[in-house]
Amino acid sequence: MAAPSSLLRGELYKADQMGAIFKLRWVELWAGGKGELRWGYPGPNAGTTDRGISDLSGATVSLGAEEWRGAEARFGFQVTPRSRPRTYFFQASSAEERRLWVDAIENVASPDVTRSNLGGGYRLIFMVRPQYPRPWGIDLGSAPGLPCVTVLEVAGEEARAVGLLAGDVVLTLGNTVLRTATVAQRRDLLLLRQPWMAPLHAVEL
């Protein structure tokens, strides 16, 4: 039997217990049991999530402030578990990225509530994995002021065939949120070893 997979994962900024200092963390959302939100350090140890909220059932998720940290925009949201009297503060790097996380956490916390997932401007692209060692043929970039990861160039046949365009913003690759091109490149290498199609959430600019 295959190991269970997280619903959504990627990098978010998380506040300390005082809610004042935000640090980058690798975050994973799991739907099993009562739902879990786990986090740990990003970078080479991404995937090691030793802290988190073990019960998301009935949790309240709300949008927070939008602010600038130096040259980087941050888009906040809060998660308050029903099972403990504490609110956890997170920040995404774009409004689109924040909406992905908020929608996904709300769906786990309150699965019986009907809501429109992601909004109307998004499209889900299924791209067949090129035969190894051929690359995906997508040049991805990220910089302050760009929401998530932007397609700079489409060179691969598979990418062109599914309608991916230069200027598209790619929010997720598989179940991984692409906060920066560095995350995208690391996830791309992992996907080259997977035998299934890679879904991408892309939004038209």
Side-chain angles (χ1 to χ4, degrees):
M1 177 180 291
S5 175
S6 54
L7 282 180
L8 196 64
R9 59 187 183 179
E11 293 177 338
L12 286 171
Y13 291 95
K14 181 190 170 293
D16 59 10
Q17 291 190 11
M18 301 300 294
I21 299 175
F22 283 83
K23 294 184 178 180
L24 192 62
R25 293 289 181 258
W26 181 261
V27 182
E28 296 184 353
L29 174 65
W30 295 76
K34 298 180 179 180
E36 295 184 55
L37 193 65
R38 307 174 187 171
W39 53 82
Y41 293 104
N45 294 324
T48 303
T49 51
D50 55 359
R51 297 189 177 187
I53 304 170
S54 59
D55 182 359
L56 283 175
S57 59
T60 301
V61 187
S62 57
L63 299 183
E66 300 176 13
E67 60 183 57
W68 286 86
R69 298 287 177 112
E72 184 179 7
R74 302 279 186 84
F75 297 79
F77 67 94
Q78 295 90 245
V79 181
T80 305
R82 187 172 61 182
S83 57
R84 64 173 70 176
R86 178 182 171 184
T87 296
Y88 296 83
F89 296 87
F90 298 91
Q91 289 179 336
S93 295
S94 71
E96 294 90 349
E97 182 187 356
R98 175 174 65 179
R99 176 51 56 191
L100 274 174
W101 281 103
V102 168
D103 282 352
I105 296 170
E106 284 184 335
N107 281 326
V108 171
S110 303
D112 297 329
V113 176
T114 302
R115 59 179 58 84
S116 77
N117 192 29
L118 295 180
Y122 298 79
R123 67 190 197 275
L124 187 62
I125 295 173
F126 285 91
M127 194 175 115
V128 178
R129 174 178 63 93
Q131 187 172 357
Y132 186 82
R134 288 176 55 207
W136 284 93
I138 308 171
D139 186 10
L140 300 174
S142 58
L146 289 179
C148 299
V149 176
T150 302
V151 177
L152 303 179
E153 182 182 0
V154 180
E157 296 178 7
E158 292 83 1
R160 285 197 298 264
V162 296
L164 198 63
L165 303 172
D168 279 347
V169 173
V170 181
L171 298 179
T172 68
L173 178 55
N175 63 342
T176 301
V177 178
L178 305 183
R179 189 184 68 85
T180 65
T182 302
V183 175
Q185 291 159 4
R186 183 172 66 234
R187 181 62 181 152
D188 193 13
L189 292 174
L190 293 175
L191 279 171
L192 285 176
R193 302 186 180 91
Q194 300 288 346
W196 33 264
M197 302 172 77
L200 297 88
H201 280 113
V203 58
E204 297 179 354
L205 292 174

